[in-house]
Amino acid sequence: CKLSLAALLLASLSIFMLFDTASADVLCPTQPRDNFCDCEGDCTGQPEWCSCDEAQQCCEGATPTVLCPGQPIANYCDCTGDCLNQPAWCSCEEAQLCCDANVVGSAFSPGSSLFEKL
């Protein structure tokens, strides 16, 4: 009896984890499996991955990303942590404005006097 209860508990946990992670990502029908929309940075960083209706809904309110000129696609500015941790990725004007809008306390954005002191 203990074994069947443990198996039931494990199965329930597995199902819960499956639904929990599935709700965070959307795979649009026209995309390969690796090109799932993460409902965050992909919404603006990889918009073709998030082009179906379900992905568009999950992208509502997502923080935008910016790819500054001269940066490889992997070095997009996420308009949050990269503003401080990867300032070169957020060095263009569009990214600085995005950082100002999304980082708590706009004084931490690239180009500000406080940011330069860090």
Side-chain angles (χ1 to χ4, degrees):
C1 200
K2 288 182 183 180
L3 180 59
S4 61
L5 180 60
L8 180 62
L9 185 59
L10 182 60
S12 297
L13 180 60
S14 298
I15 291 170
F16 173 76
M17 290 174 61
L18 176 67
F19 284 111
D20 186 46
T21 53
S23 66
D25 301 327
V26 174
L27 181 62
C28 290
T30 60
Q31 294 296 320
R33 179 174 289 190
D34 290 339
N35 292 3
F36 61 87
C37 176
D38 67 4
C39 302
E40 294 175 12
D42 290 340
C43 299
T44 54
Q46 301 289 344
E48 65 279 1
W49 296 3
C50 304
S51 58
C52 63
D53 289 340
E54 183 181 357
Q56 289 293 304
Q57 288 176 353
C58 80
C59 283
E60 289 178 9
T63 301
T65 60
V66 176
L67 182 63
C68 290
Q71 291 289 340
I73 197 162
N75 292 4
Y76 64 86
C77 175
D78 68 5
C79 299
T80 55
D82 290 341
C83 302
L84 292 173
N85 299 323
Q86 300 292 343
W89 298 0
C90 304
S91 60
C92 63
E93 184 178 355
E94 182 183 359
Q96 290 182 20
L97 292 171
C98 189
C99 286
D100 282 344
N102 293 291
V103 174
V104 176
S106 61
F108 289 104
S109 65
S112 70
S113 59
L114 181 58
F115 183 82
E116 296 301 323
K117 293 177 185 176
L118 294 177

